[in-house]
Amino acid sequence: QVQLVESGGDLVQPGESLRLSCVASGFTEDAHYSIGWFRQAPGKEREEIVCINTAYGNPVYTGPLKGRFTVSRDRNRVYLQLNNLTPEDTAVYTCAFKYYLGSYCGTFGWNDYDYRGQGTQVTVSS
């Protein structure tokens, strides 16, 4: 059973940065997969931020947050660097996992992933 654990969320002031972490475990050894980062703000729909594949290593930013948000991966850990945070970035950030051999994960939505973490809360407030 694949498990995902997010961490790194915190209460920060506008303009500050955070690095979120998603640690995946329990997956088939040497398998390729995709991990996506999503966020959901209070009263708003969930939106995808970025996904990254292990087969090709190329991140796909699916929203307008590229430039302030950057994804990286180190083995079974996927990081999401959040820079220049604003109150509008306040949300629960969640990572999701799907076994995947392809090169493009940008078409995957929330329901396309097979496993999801519990999320980590990011609050931006002065």
Side-chain angles (χ1 to χ4, degrees):
Q1 180 81 0
V2 175
Q3 292 186 324
L4 302 170
V5 178
E6 303 96 336
S7 63
D10 204 349
L11 169 62
V12 297
Q13 294 189 347
E16 293 186 336
S17 299
L18 282 174
R19 189 175 79 157
L20 308 182
S21 174
C22 170
V23 180
S25 62
F27 53 88
T28 303
E29 187 175 357
D30 296 330
H32 287 294
Y33 52 88
S34 172
I35 285 187
W37 274 104
F38 295 80
R39 72 178 185 178
Q40 187 165 22
K44 295 187 178 180
E45 292 189 357
R46 184 180 293 109
E47 63 176 333
E48 185 171 11
I49 303 168
V50 63
C51 61
I52 187 166
N53 303 312
T54 62
Y56 291 84
N58 54 313
V60 178
Y61 294 87
T62 53
L65 300 172
K66 184 180 182 182
R68 290 197 301 123
F69 292 4
T70 305
V71 71
S72 61
R73 174 180 161 260
D74 179 11
R75 298 185 183 180
N76 66 326
R77 293 175 179 263
V78 176
Y79 301 100
L80 185 65
Q81 178 70 34
L82 315 178
N83 293 326
N84 194 22
L85 287 162
T86 73
E88 289 68 37
D89 295 316
T90 295
V92 176
Y93 288 70
T94 306
C95 62
F97 176 105
K98 177 182 178 63
Y99 286 110
Y100 184 58
L101 287 171
S103 62
Y104 186 73
C105 54
T107 57
F108 296 155
W110 177 254
N111 292 324
D112 294 313
Y113 287 89
D114 300 311
Y115 304 94
R116 304 165 189 85
Q118 293 299 309
T120 185
Q121 176 70 48
V122 172
T123 303
V124 185
S125 176
S126 56

